[in-house]
Amino acid sequence: MSDEREKSPSTTAGGAARSWWRLPARLLLGALGLVTAGVAVVLIGAAIALAVAYPNLPELDSVTDYRPRLPLRVLSADGVLLGEYGDEKRTFTPIAQIPKVMQDAVLAIEDARFYQHSGVDYIGVLRAGLAQFGSVGSQGASTITMQVARNFYLSTEKTLTRKLYEILLALKIESQLSKDQILELYMNQIYLGQRAYGFAAASEIYFGKPLKEISIAEAAMLAGLPKAPSAYNPIANPKRATLRQQYIIDRMLDNGFITAEQHATAKAQELKYRVQTDVAVHAEYVAEVARQLVFSQYGAETYTRGLQVQLTVRASDQLIAYRALRRGLLDYERRQVYRGPEAYIDLPADPKAVDARVAEALADHPDNDELKAAVVLEAGPKKVVAVLQSGESITVTGDGLKPVASGLAANADAKRQIRRGAVVRAIKGTKGDWTLTQQPEVEGAFVSIEPANGAIRAMVGGFDFGKNKFNHVTQAWRQPGSSFKPFIYSSALEKGFTPATVVNDAPLFFDAGATGSQPWEPKNYDGKFEGPMPLRTALAKSKNMVSIRILQSVGVDYARDWVTRFGFDREKHEPYLTMALGAGSVTPMQMATAYSVFANGGYRVTPVLIERIYDSRGKVLHQVDLKSPDESQRVIDARNAFVMDSLLQEVTRSGTAARAQATLKRPDLYGKTGTTNDSMDAWFAGFQPSLAAIVWIGYDTPRKLGDRETGGGLALPVWIEYMSQTLKGVPVAEAKVPEGVINVAGEWYYDEYSPGQGITTLGTEDALPQAPTEDEKKGILDLFR
């Protein structure tokens, strides 16, 4: 019996196998029945959901009339990005301009059957549904159309209801848009990290190149970002990002988008990423002015319409102006009393822990461009060793310690002493040597403009936009001092004065009526009175007594009206004789406009900053035609401008600004220095016929710059540095003599005011102070014994 049992079908190996298959077969039939029933239920449920939900789906205006949130971009005249404003960095790019390699990379990883399905990949959905049946934890099989639906209309929650709406919306989108339109939406709208929306913006941000120049390897790296921009950020997570990039390159090959040779090349390419740096041209002030102007016209749409604003500013001019002004302010700061370190920190005794403590401390004291923050490790009268934020150690000796010498003295006040743990500022010289200094408290402004059409070429509103956003070019109302005198002289030319008119530089005294407040006894800057001299010499030497006598002669009211021709506000210049010395209020921008009148032959041009505005598709919304002024813009006669140019040229040749022609080695330079009462403001306003430029330096809360600080010593060097570079290659301009002007014995006159016809002298009857006698000198000395 036992043998028979061993051989029975139920107990043989073959019988056991047949019995094993019978049970699963029955179960499989049952399972298939359940699946069929389940599918039927799903289909019925889907049909009911479709009937109920589809009519309630939102309208597709946001995709059919796609208007992406595009930032405002401010560009220089030569196309350099100066500023960008908006939460989302995006550059809308039509599908026809998106390279095929970028499209293929996206399709390979996101939706290889995109052009075959109708918005929903049913095979993929069913596969994902069976794999995750009863789970809402996986999104699974989202097509590009479904992702568009999700990005535009749905929340990020993971529920079956949201998935159903995603499918229905995808079907609706496919019914109203072409495949290319859907792909265009996706590739411009998707978030890709680093504030970048869309692949064009991502290409610029990650690789620093336009999308049209993208390689297969770079396209694959960008295509890996939509799944998880943070996790696959190639800069923050290069290893993880590279693994995904390599997989996408494989997928591109599998789908026939690239050849085996291209595949091998792409897999081997080493990617180079854009180095994140600050805007190189430092146009923060000028970009902010542009932003305000655009916002005043477009409101909140300024930051979403993708407006491209092209300025008249040249990037190269802007950087030159920025460097020149900062150098001027830092040079001034080196001459000031050292105010002490910015802070003190406790450094650990363990040398290994010092670097971390320094890095932590300097996070609160960021570098200010070339002005570096440093923590002192050791300090003495002859040597200071400090560490920069970068970890670099610097040693400062010799002349590099002079600006902070008082802080290194043995008897230095505890709050000003440079010692271990002190946070100081250092700047590197051209030869690699370091100098310790301090952040300037003084401020400045620079603006340059083309007199021929008003185009602004450079604007620097202060030392540092991050520290002080107040734009001193457009917002600072300051006394112009002697830089205002040319406008008083200009008025005098219409009253019979000539460059040869002799005016007495002798003392004056006025009661309260002349100034509107109190008695006034004006002085010259140098304290000297030189007697009678021609107007040409008086302006070159900036003689105050001469300017006052001129204003007395022409009349305060006449002069006050005359200066408005140049763009000055009448109410900002009170009708007193102090106006002759620039006691009114002007802005640097007004001065640029005013001096342009002399430079262009008598026309007042309106400053132009924004040349044109485009929308995101390149349509021009606003454009200014930069052209030469016509006679309707003439505010002074051509001969007035010509004679004034001759006087201003003398200032740069032999007067207070003689350093200009001596340094730049060219005669076609014109201008006037300006130093206000008590040296609270320092100016230089000047031009070469093709370019006018204004420099102002002073404190926000007016106070003395110093007894020896003048417009010629402070502002003029900044102007010279700027002009020395911007005038390279510009030929010397020859002045054209206008009709109605004659030259007699080397001097220029109006026809009707030729020698003997105009005003020949003024105030020559006034006596100069008498020099003290020997007895008087002795008596004065006795007072001090």
Side-chain angles (χ1 to χ4, degrees):
M1 285 289 296
S2 59
D3 292 337
E4 290 178 1
R5 282 197 299 270
E6 289 176 3
K7 294 180 181 179
S8 72
S10 61
T11 59
T12 60
R18 285 191 294 273
S19 177
W20 188 89
W21 277 108
R22 288 189 190 105
L23 183 59
R26 288 193 295 270
L27 291 174
L28 181 60
L29 289 173
L32 287 174
L34 288 173
V35 169
T36 302
V39 170
V41 171
V42 169
L43 292 175
I44 293 171
I48 294 173
L50 183 62
V52 174
Y54 195 87
N56 296 318
L57 293 176
E59 295 299 321
L60 300 183
D61 294 347
S62 57
V63 294
T64 56
D65 184 21
Y66 179 52
R67 296 182 181 181
R69 292 176 61 88
L70 302 173
L72 169 70
R73 291 166 62 88
V74 180
L75 307 170
S76 69
D78 41 353
V80 176
L81 181 66
L82 303 181
E84 190 171 46
Y85 301 90
D87 295 333
E88 301 176 1
K89 292 185 177 181
R90 181 187 281 111
T91 303
F92 179 81
T93 309
I95 191 67
Q97 296 176 24
I98 298 175
K100 188 173 184 300
V101 65
M102 189 70 252
Q103 296 182 43
D104 290 344
V106 168
L107 294 176
I109 190 61
E110 294 294 334
D111 192 354
R113 298 181 61 251
F114 174 70
Y115 282 97
Q116 282 74 52
H117 62 65
S118 59
V120 180
D121 188 348
Y122 296 104
I123 297 174
V125 171
L126 184 60
R127 186 188 305 116
L130 290 173
Q132 302 290 338
F133 191 79
S135 168
V136 296
S138 172
Q139 292 302 304
S142 287
T143 65
I144 282 177
T145 313
M146 291 165 70
Q147 291 184 56
V148 168
R150 183 193 314 158
N151 289 333
F152 277 89
Y153 298 105
L154 301 173
S155 67
T156 57
E157 62 177 345
K158 298 178 180 180
T159 65
L160 286 173
T161 301
R162 200 221 65 181
K163 192 70 177 181
L164 177 60
Y165 272 97
E166 185 179 305
I167 292 172
L168 296 179
L169 278 168
L171 293 171
K172 188 171 183 178
I173 289 171
E174 290 265 351
S175 71
Q176 297 188 30
L177 296 178
S178 69
K179 286 290 187 179
D180 281 350
Q181 287 175 315
I182 295 169
L183 188 59
E184 180 180 271
L185 284 171
Y186 177 83
M187 299 193 75
N188 280 284
Q189 181 70 16
I190 195 74
Y191 177 61
L192 300 170
Q194 304 282 108
R195 287 180 58 209
Y197 288 78
F199 287 93
S203 179
E204 293 283 358
I205 288 172
Y206 289 105
F207 297 115
K209 62 167 63 175
L211 189 60
K212 63 183 180 181
E213 297 177 8
I214 210 84
S215 70
I216 293 173
E218 290 166 338
M221 182 61 80
L222 295 181
L225 291 168
K227 183 177 182 181
S230 177
Y232 295 106
N233 183 318
I235 297 173
N237 300 296
K239 184 176 180 180
R240 185 185 300 147
T242 300
L243 287 173
R244 183 161 174 79
Q245 177 231 23
Q246 295 287 303
Y247 172 68
I248 293 172
I249 295 173
D250 291 340
R251 292 279 297 165
M252 293 178 75
L253 177 65
D254 294 342
N255 284 279
F257 293 138
I258 58 175
T259 65
E261 184 180 354
Q262 290 174 318
H263 173 266
T265 301
K267 297 273 279 189
Q269 182 181 344
E270 182 178 347
L271 302 187
K272 295 181 180 179
Y273 300 103
R274 175 188 175 189
V275 178
Q276 301 295 320
T277 59
D278 293 332
V279 178
V281 292
H282 296 285
E284 297 88 350
Y285 285 102
V286 72
E288 173 60 14
V289 173
R291 183 198 68 79
Q292 292 176 13
L293 290 172
V294 175
F295 185 82
S296 68
Q297 182 173 353
Y298 294 97
E301 287 189 343
T302 298
Y303 312 117
T304 60
R305 286 187 59 178
L307 299 175
Q308 306 274 325
V309 181
Q310 183 178 321
L311 307 185
T312 57
V313 167
R314 291 183 183 140
S316 57
D317 283 28
Q318 179 66 26
L319 183 56
I320 292 167
Y322 169 83
R323 292 294 179 203
L325 182 62
R326 281 180 68 97
R327 186 173 291 110
L329 297 178
L330 287 170
D331 285 347
Y332 168 80
E333 196 61 50
R334 288 191 181 100
R335 300 192 292 272
Q336 306 314 301
V337 174
Y338 184 58
R339 296 183 294 274
E342 295 179 20
Y344 295 97
I345 63 171
D346 294 325
L347 291 176
D350 183 1
K352 295 180 180 179
V354 169
D355 185 66
R357 180 70 184 101
V358 167
E360 178 185 276
L362 292 184
D364 296 327
H365 300 271
D367 292 341
N368 189 325
D369 199 9
E370 76 275 36
L371 198 59
K372 307 297 184 183
V375 174
V376 174
L377 298 184
E378 60 178 273
K382 296 184 177 180
K383 184 177 77 170
V384 170
V385 178
V387 178
L388 306 178
Q389 177 67 274
S390 63
E392 178 187 355
S393 177
I394 64 172
T395 299
V396 188
T397 59
D399 289 345
L401 298 176
K402 285 185 177 180
V404 299
S406 60
L408 294 169
N411 61 348
D413 182 274
K415 294 181 179 180
R416 296 184 179 182
Q417 186 182 50
I418 296 177
R419 57 182 183 269
R420 180 176 168 83
V423 177
V424 297
R425 291 283 163 174
I427 189 167
K428 194 174 187 178
T430 55
K431 297 180 181 179
D433 52 319
W434 288 90
T435 297
L436 293 188
T437 183
Q438 57 193 342
Q439 294 212 68
E441 289 184 345
V442 71
E443 275 293 356
F446 182 97
V447 60
S448 64
I449 184 174
E450 286 190 16
N453 52 36
I456 296 170
R457 288 306 182 194
M459 180 195 296
V460 186
F463 179 77
D464 176 38
F465 183 78
K467 174 185 169 187
N468 185 354
K469 293 178 173 54
F470 184 80
N471 190 333
H472 297 85
V473 169
T474 58
Q475 296 175 288
W477 289 93
R478 306 295 293 223
Q479 289 188 340
S482 296
S483 62
F484 195 73
K485 289 176 181 175
F487 307 105
I488 304 300
Y489 276 58
S490 173
S491 71
L493 295 181
E494 302 303 310
K495 290 288 190 176
F497 283 79
T498 73
T501 299
V502 174
V503 182
N504 199 2
D505 176 34
L508 290 165
F509 177 81
F510 302 95
D511 60 25
T515 63
S517 58
Q518 57 189 3
W520 180 41
E521 188 175 8
K523 305 288 185 182
N524 284 317
Y525 176 79
D526 58 7
K528 299 176 182 179
F529 300 101
E530 299 187 44
M533 63 180 66
L535 255 63
R536 179 175 293 278
T537 303
L539 186 62
K541 292 187 173 184
S542 198
K543 288 296 184 177
N544 290 341
M545 304 305 111
V546 173
S547 295
I548 294 168
R549 283 185 166 88
I550 291 173
L551 182 56
Q552 269 187 312
S553 177
V554 301
V556 170
D557 290 333
Y558 176 80
R560 192 182 186 205
D561 289 335
W562 183 262
V563 301
T564 62
R565 293 168 176 254
F566 298 86
F568 296 116
D569 296 349
R570 191 174 190 274
E571 64 275 12
K572 294 285 188 180
H573 301 272
E574 295 186 352
Y576 301 112
L577 291 176
T578 51
M579 186 170 64
L581 307 185
S585 295
V586 302
T587 67
M589 182 61 80
Q590 280 188 333
M591 292 291 276
T593 303
Y595 271 80
S596 291
V597 174
F598 292 139
N600 64 27
Y603 303 94
R604 191 169 115 199
V605 293
T606 302
V608 178
L609 178 62
I610 296 176
E611 187 170 356
R612 62 179 59 88
I613 302 175
Y614 302 93
D615 67 12
S616 61
R617 297 181 182 273
K619 179 183 177 182
V620 177
L621 304 177
H622 168 84
Q623 182 158 350
V624 175
D625 185 13
L626 294 174
K627 59 182 180 180
S628 299
D630 57 39
E631 285 303 310
S632 68
Q633 294 170 268
R634 178 173 291 285
V635 291
I636 64 173
D637 194 83
R639 58 185 189 167
N640 187 299
F642 176 83
V643 174
M644 283 307 305
D645 287 356
S646 173
L647 294 175
L648 293 170
Q649 187 177 36
E650 189 66 37
V651 177
T652 66
R653 188 188 72 82
S654 65
T656 56
R659 183 176 173 182
Q661 289 196 36
T663 303
L664 298 180
K665 309 296 184 186
R666 56 189 302 157
D668 58 341
L669 302 176
Y670 313 78
K672 183 70 186 74
T673 54
T675 309
T676 62
N677 191 35
D678 289 332
S679 298
M680 291 189 180
D681 299 89
W683 294 81
F684 185 74
F687 58 90
Q688 190 271 350
S690 67
L691 193 62
I694 309 297
V695 182
W696 166 84
I697 293 174
Y699 288 99
D700 277 339
T701 301
R703 59 186 169 99
K704 291 185 67 171
L705 290 163
D707 291 336
R708 298 183 180 181
E709 303 294 354
T710 65
L714 271 178
L716 179 59
V718 176
W719 189 90
I720 289 173
E721 180 176 340
Y722 175 79
M723 287 295 195
S724 68
Q725 297 184 62
T726 55
L727 293 182
K728 284 181 179 177
V730 176
V732 172
E734 297 292 337
K736 294 181 180 179
V737 182
E739 186 178 347
V741 175
I742 60 172
N743 189 287
V744 179
E747 190 55 273
W748 297 103
Y749 300 85
Y750 285 9
D751 276 343
E752 66 270 32
Y753 299 138
S754 58
Q757 300 301 312
I759 296 174
T760 56
T761 62
L762 179 64
T764 52
E765 67 281 1
D766 298 330
L768 285 171
Q770 295 296 317
T773 65
E774 290 302 318
D775 288 342
E776 288 173 331
K777 288 181 182 178
K778 184 176 182 297
I780 293 171
L781 291 173
D782 287 342
L783 292 174
F784 294 93
R785 286 177 179 167

